[in-house]
Amino acid sequence: MKKQLAVVLVCIVFLLSISSCAVPEDKVIASLGEYEKKEFFTSGGFQDYTDYAKYVYTSSNVVENTYLNKIQETDFAIINTHLDDFEGWIETIKDSEPSSEVVANYDFDRKIIDTEDYFYIDSERYTWSDGHTSLVRYNIYLFDTQTQVLYYFHNNI
């Protein structure tokens, strides 16, 4: 009887530990409703990884979205700063791991971004002892209204 109870307790603890490792829902992506198609590519591991994804929607209401903001001309500078950094990491990954899925599938073209589109950026900067500031973690969401595609860029060094 004690062995059975011990086995049951071990199973319960194991199941609880697995369920606590579930990936949290991305609130920005969830705020757009159900997507029709998802393409997700990643490189790296715990606390040091780069993700690129595309979510295709058939309908979404970005105008009333609580996260996404319509792109203004003044937003291009911050968007390009983050995309420059992201693409720099894609090149770094390419140099060390040319067959990486994120490298092989990165196909974003900045020419599609215009003032009809929406974006959200969540980022963190770090200032080094020499005064240099760099991006250390960010999530970029760009919603192209013409194609109904949400582009997701994540980097964490």
Side-chain angles (χ1 to χ4, degrees):
M1 181 70 172
K2 286 183 180 182
K3 274 188 172 182
Q4 290 174 335
L5 182 59
V7 169
V8 169
L9 288 174
V10 167
C11 288
I12 290 172
V13 168
F14 176 72
L15 290 173
L16 288 173
S17 68
I18 288 175
S19 66
S20 68
C21 295
V23 176
E25 177 183 54
D26 186 305
K27 293 178 182 177
V28 178
I29 294 168
S31 72
L32 289 167
E34 288 190 45
Y35 48 84
E36 180 180 307
K37 180 180 173 187
K38 170 185 170 183
E39 295 179 46
F40 190 93
F41 311 103
T42 191
S43 175
F46 181 73
Q47 291 295 320
D48 187 11
Y49 61 100
T50 301
D51 298 330
Y52 170 64
K54 296 185 281 188
Y55 297 83
V56 179
Y57 292 84
T58 54
S59 66
S60 60
N61 186 0
V62 293
V63 175
E64 296 176 12
N65 189 284
T66 58
Y67 296 99
L68 300 173
N69 296 301
K70 193 165 189 179
I71 296 176
Q72 306 298 312
E73 288 294 333
T74 55
D75 297 321
F76 284 104
I78 191 78
I79 291 169
N80 283 325
T81 296
H82 283 78
L83 289 177
D84 288 344
D85 188 81
F86 185 82
E87 290 175 352
W89 283 107
I90 293 293
E91 287 300 315
T92 299
I93 296 165
K94 184 178 183 179
D95 290 344
S96 63
E97 190 185 346
S99 62
S100 167
E101 69 175 9
V102 74
V103 169
N105 292 287
Y106 184 70
D107 60 355
F108 185 73
D109 183 355
R110 294 186 202 198
K111 291 183 236 167
I112 69 161
I113 306 170
D114 59 37
T115 55
E116 295 301 311
D117 298 331
Y118 289 76
F119 82 110
Y120 176 75
I121 296 177
D122 172 27
S123 67
E124 180 181 330
R125 293 179 179 269
Y126 181 79
T127 302
W128 303 93
S129 59
D130 65 359
H132 176 74
T133 301
S134 61
L135 293 166
V136 294
R137 181 204 56 80
Y138 53 83
N139 295 304
I140 310 165
Y141 303 84
L142 290 171
F143 188 85
D144 180 29
T145 57
Q146 290 84 6
T147 61
Q148 294 289 296
V149 174
L150 175 70
Y151 293 90
Y152 171 71
F153 311 81
H154 169 83
N155 194 51
N156 187 27
I157 59 170

